[in-house]
């Protein structure tokens, strides 16, 4: 689960970078920091996928490229997206019935 921790750290860096950017500007440039923080996660995921596909698998491990892509890239990114959607859903303003 080291890949999940790695992608969570990338997500948090993107989230707080968007927060600091909004603090430094007069008008907020980034309206939704939750989804904006996914951009670095996708960029690092694509780079990581390219590294996995372009390099040969380790000799001592019996894993395929598809397993490595699914376990080290797709699964952590899906977990992070599900977490972002959950937090955005919980922060949605509740409408009061009159």
């Amino acid at each position: 689960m080291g890949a999940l921790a790695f992608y969570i750290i990338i997500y948090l860096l993107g989230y707080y970078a968007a927060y600091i950017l909004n603090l430094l500007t007069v008008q907020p440039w980034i309206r939704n920091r939750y989804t904006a923080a996914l951009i670095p996660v996708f960029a690092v995921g694509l780079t990581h996928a390219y590294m996995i596909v372009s390099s040969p698998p380790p000799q001592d491990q019996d894993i395929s490229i598809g397993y490595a892509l699914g376990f080290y890239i797709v699964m952590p990114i899906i977990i992070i997206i599900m977490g972002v959607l959950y937090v955005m859903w919980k922060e949605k303003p509740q409408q009061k019935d009159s």
Side-chain angles (χ1 to χ4, degrees), residues 14-91:
Y15 179 81
Y16 287 115
Y19 176 72
I20 290 171
L21 180 68
N22 280 344
L23 282 179
L24 295 176
T25 58
V26 176
Q27 292 179 340
W29 284 3
I30 301 170
R31 302 262 183 235
N32 191 345
R33 286 179 286 171
Y34 296 115
T35 56
L38 288 174
I39 294 171
V41 172
F42 291 143
V44 170
L46 285 173
T47 307
H48 193 192
Y50 175 75
M51 294 292 292
I52 288 175
V53 170
S54 65
S55 63
Q59 296 293 328
D60 58 345
Q61 296 179 355
D62 189 28
I63 60 173
S64 66
I65 292 175
Y67 175 79
L69 288 173
F71 188 74
Y72 295 113
I73 297 171
V74 174
M75 186 186 64
I77 290 177
I78 287 175
I79 291 172
I80 289 173
I81 290 172
M82 287 177 12
V84 167
L85 290 175
Y86 177 75
V87 170
M88 287 173 53
W89 175 64
K90 290 302 275 186
E91 280 196 1

Side-chain angles (χ1 to χ4, degrees), residues 7-18:
Y7 283 108
I8 288 173
I9 290 171
I10 297 296
Y11 176 79
L12 291 175
L13 287 174
Y15 179 81
Y16 287 115

